[in-house]
Amino acid sequence: MRNRGATTMPRSVTAPRSEVRIIWALFAVLAYFPLFIDLDVLPLRMWDESRLAVSAYEMLKNHQYLVPYFDGAPDMWSTKPPLLIWIQALLFKVLGPGELALRLPSAICAFVTGAMLVHVGIHWLKKPWWGLIAALILYTSQGYVSMHVARSGDYDSMLVMFMTLALLCVYRYEQTRSKRAVVVMFIAITLAILTKSIQGLLILPGCAVYLLITGALLDFLKERRTWFGLVGTVMVVGGYYLGRETLNPGYMEAVWNNDLGGRYGTVMEGHEGEWDYFIRQFLVTNFTNWYLLVPCGIALGLAYKDIAIRRWTMLLTCAGASYLIVISTAGTKCQWYDAPLYPILASLCALPLHLVFEWLRTTRPFNLMVRGDVVPFTALFLAFAMPYASVVHHYYKVKDSPWEFEYYESAHFLQDAMKGRRELKADVFCYDDYNGPLLFYAHVLTDQGHPIRSVSKYDLVPGMRAMASQPEVKEFIEARYEQQVIETDGNVVIFQIAGPKHAQP
C-alpha cells in the first residue's frame, strides 16, 4: 500500500517489449565506442591517473590496503579514500598491470551511469526513448567523455555514478516513499565518499531543497531507515578515516588541508578561476553541442502535464543549481569538478529533444510523403550524427594532441617497452620534477625483468645507461659527464655514462 503524500509513479512500461529490447541493444552498441574503444592506447596521464596507478601497483605488492603508498611511502598528497585503488589493484591482479586495467573501472561506471538514465526513462518516466537520448547526450559531452572522467583512471567517473544513483534514489523516494530507495541512497553516498571524500556530499543540499518543496522532507526525516543509514554512513566512513589515522599519523590533518577547508577556501596548485569558470567551460568546450537546450529543458519539464516529469525536472534543477553554486564559490576550481553535472544536464537537454521526437511519432506531419517512423528516427539520427561521429573520431586510434606529445614522449617510450614493442636499453631515467607515468612503467618493467629506476641527473655513475627527454636534463648530462649516445628516438636519448668530466664549470 502506497504511503500518504507519495505521488503516483508509472507502474508499467508503455512501449512494447520488442521496442525496449531495441533501446537496450542500441544503448549497448552506441555506448561502446565513446567509452571503450582504444581505451589503453595513450600512456598514463601525468597527475591523478598515474598516481593512482602507482598506488594500486604498490598496494598489490605491499598488501597495505588501508594506506595507499606512493613511491614507497604513505601517500599524503592524494588523500582520498582508496575504494577506486582497491578495484584497480584487483584488476591489475586479474588483467595484468597496465592502462586497460586502470581505466576500465571508469569506463564501466560511465556505462552504468548511462544505463541508469535509460532505466529511468523506461521504467519510471514511461518515456523509453528519453533515456536513450539522455545517455547519448551524456556520451557526446566533451567534459564527460574525457581523459579525466569516463576514459581515465581517475576518481570522477565512479564518483559521478554513485552521486547519480543517490539522486535517483531521492526521486524514487519522493515519488513512492520507497524504503529500499532510502537504503540504496545511503549506500551510494557512502561509496561516493569512499571514492572522492567530501565531494560525494555536494549533491545533497539540492536534494534536501527538492524534498522540502515537494513536501517529502518531513516523511524522509521520520523514516527510521534515514537515521539507520546516516549512522551506517558515519560508522563506515569514520571507521576508515580513524583507522587510517591510527596507521598513518598526520593523515587527518592532510585531509583537512587538501580535501576540506584548504581546497574550498583557497586556491591550490594554481587551479583558480572566476565565479563563472564552469559556466564558461560548458559554453566554450565541455557542453558546446547541447547547452542551449538546458533552459528549454527546464522550462518544458516544469510545465509538463505529467507530474512525474515535472518532479524529475525540479529535482534535476535543484540538485544541479546547488552543486554548481558550491563548486563555483570554491577557491580551487579544477576543470573536472563539474563532472557530476553532466548526467543532470543531459537529462534536462533530453526533454525538448524527446518532445520533438514524440510529436513526430504521434502527429506524423509528413505522413503523406513517408511511412511509419522514418521521420522521427531520421530526425534523431541527424541530431546525434555529428556530435557522436566527432567523439568517436577523437578516440578511435587516439593520439596525444601536438602540445602533449613532447610532454609524454618518455612515457610513450617506456609504455612501448612494457608492452614488448621495443627493447629497453636504459637502466635509469632522469626527469626533473614529478613524473608518475615513468615511475609506474619503471615498477612494471622491473618486475618484468627489465630493471629501471629514477636517478637524479646529479647522481649518475659510470656504467649507467640513462634515459632523458627534457632539453635541460640532456644538456646537463652532456656538459657534466663523459658519455656516449647509444639510442635516440625523437626527444628521448639514452646515454652510456663513462664518468664525470674533469673540468667542471
Side-chain angles (χ1 to χ4, degrees):
M1 184 174 181
R2 187 169 55 87
N3 294 344
R4 287 186 302 168
T7 54
T8 302
M9 194 92 173
R11 291 179 298 173
S12 61
V13 178
T14 55
R17 289 186 178 180
S18 58
E19 187 169 318
V20 171
R21 286 195 290 266
I22 290 171
I23 290 171
W24 280 114
L26 284 172
F27 167 75
V29 172
L30 294 173
Y32 171 78
F33 293 95
L35 301 181
F36 296 97
I37 193 170
D38 288 339
L39 191 61
D40 61 344
V41 169
L42 290 180
L44 301 185
R45 302 293 92 179
M46 185 62 76
W47 297 106
D48 290 349
E49 182 180 66
S50 58
R51 198 169 191 94
L52 287 169
V54 173
S55 293
Y57 194 74
E58 293 193 16
M59 182 178 287
L60 191 64
K61 296 296 180 181
N62 64 24
H63 307 295
Q64 297 291 328
Y65 299 112
L66 282 182
V67 182
Y69 277 62
F70 180 83
D71 200 16
D75 190 356
M76 300 292 276
W77 182 81
S78 180
T79 52
K80 311 296 188 295
L83 177 60
L84 177 59
I85 297 174
W86 291 337
I87 296 171
Q88 290 170 331
L90 176 63
L91 287 177
F92 281 173
K93 178 73 173 178
V94 174
L95 301 178
E99 298 84 3
L100 180 61
L102 186 76
R103 294 169 181 158
L104 196 57
S106 292
I108 292 173
C109 288
F111 183 89
V112 172
T113 302
M116 287 191 290
L117 298 181
V118 176
H119 176 85
V120 169
I122 293 172
H123 295 286
W124 294 3
L125 302 182
K126 294 176 64 176
K127 306 289 183 185
W129 290 96
W130 171 89
L132 181 62
I133 292 170
L136 288 177
I137 292 173
L138 181 65
Y139 296 155
T140 53
S141 302
Q142 187 175 344
Y144 182 75
V145 183
S146 70
M147 282 308 300
H148 210 291
V149 187
R151 294 180 57 90
S152 166
D154 291 306
Y155 305 100
D156 297 275
S157 184
M158 184 174 288
L159 173 73
V160 172
M161 181 186 70
F162 290 133
M163 291 176 72
T164 303
L165 177 58
L167 192 68
L168 299 187
C169 289
V170 170
Y171 176 73
R172 184 71 172 175
Y173 175 79
E174 188 277 322
Q175 290 282 286
T176 66
R177 298 301 190 269
S178 166
K179 299 179 186 300
R180 181 183 178 188
V182 177
V183 174
V184 176
M185 184 196 76
F186 277 104
I187 292 173
I189 291 170
T190 303
L191 294 174
I193 298 171
L194 292 178
T195 300
K196 205 176 181 185
S197 187
I198 194 173
Q199 193 172 351
L201 298 174
L202 300 187
I203 204 77
L204 297 185
C207 294
V209 171
Y210 169 74
L211 292 175
L212 179 64
I213 292 173
T214 58
L217 183 59
L218 188 59
D219 287 345
F220 181 75
L221 294 177
K222 289 179 178 178
E223 172 60 55
R224 286 188 305 169
R225 285 170 176 79
T226 298
W227 300 103
F228 287 141
L230 180 60
V231 170
T233 297
V234 171
M235 289 181 63
V236 172
V237 174
Y240 170 75
Y241 278 98
L242 291 176
R244 181 161 173 184
E245 174 66 24
T246 302
L247 296 172
N248 181 194
Y251 171 67
M252 292 300 294
E253 182 181 357
V255 169
W256 173 258
N257 292 331
N258 190 39
D259 292 345
L260 303 178
R263 191 165 290 270
Y264 186 84
T266 61
V267 176
M268 297 186 66
E269 300 155 6
H271 295 294
E272 60 183 341
E274 300 296 327
W275 67 270
D276 62 344
Y277 174 81
F278 295 105
I279 296 174
R280 286 187 282 109
Q281 276 200 152
F282 296 142
L283 303 182
V284 177
T285 56
N286 288 359
F287 207 59
T288 52
N289 294 316
W290 309 111
Y291 68 86
L292 290 175
L293 294 177
V294 174
C296 299
I298 294 173
L300 289 171
L302 293 177
Y304 213 87
K305 62 182 180 180
D306 186 340
I307 189 172
I309 299 291
R310 292 204 305 272
R311 293 291 175 86
W312 176 239
T313 306
M314 186 184 300
L315 174 60
L316 295 174
T317 304
C318 291
S322 67
Y323 183 84
L324 180 60
I325 289 171
V326 172
I327 62 173
S328 296
T329 54
T332 302
K333 293 182 175 67
C334 295
Q335 64 184 42
W336 50 89
Y337 282 180
D338 63 4
L341 287 170
Y342 290 101
I344 294 173
L345 296 175
S347 298
L348 290 170
C349 291
L351 289 170
L353 287 183
H354 184 265
L355 191 65
V356 173
F357 174 76
E358 270 194 335
W359 179 75
L360 291 173
R361 289 191 83 184
T362 55
T363 62
R364 300 184 183 275
F366 305 100
N367 227 18
L368 295 177
M369 292 179 283
V370 293
R371 291 185 175 185
D373 287 332
V374 173
V375 171
F377 285 102
T378 300
L380 204 59
F381 172 81
L382 293 175
F384 285 101
M386 289 186 64
Y388 187 82
S390 176
V391 72
V392 172
H393 174 74
H394 183 77
Y395 290 111
Y396 177 60
K397 296 184 179 179
V398 61
K399 297 179 180 179
D400 289 307
S401 59
W403 68 268
E404 286 181 315
F405 182 76
E406 201 169 302
Y407 190 58
Y408 285 105
E409 202 165 2
S410 53
H412 277 283
F413 192 92
L414 291 188
Q415 180 195 41
D416 286 345
M418 183 190 75
K419 295 186 175 183
R421 295 195 291 251
R422 70 161 64 246
E423 179 187 358
L424 183 63
K425 298 179 181 179
D427 50 33
V428 300
F429 65 87
C430 299
Y431 196 95
D432 284 350
D433 303 319
Y434 169 87
N435 198 308
L438 298 189
L439 183 59
F440 173 78
Y441 293 128
H443 280 334
V444 179
L445 283 163
T446 298
D447 286 346
Q448 289 178 346
H450 308 288
I452 183 171
R453 58 192 176 91
S454 174
V455 171
S456 169
K457 62 187 178 185
Y458 297 98
D459 298 330
L460 299 176
V461 298
M464 283 184 173
R465 295 170 296 166
M467 185 186 87
S469 61
Q470 295 169 296
E472 62 274 17
V473 174
K474 292 185 289 187
E475 290 170 6
F476 181 90
I477 292 174
E478 290 169 349
R480 184 165 181 138
Y481 297 98
E482 298 288 349
Q483 40 72 31
Q484 178 183 357
V485 174
I486 58 176
E487 185 177 357
T488 300
D489 187 338
N491 288 308
V492 178
V493 177
I494 298 177
F495 299 95
Q496 177 77 54
I497 304 299
K501 288 186 176 179
H502 296 296
Q504 297 295 332

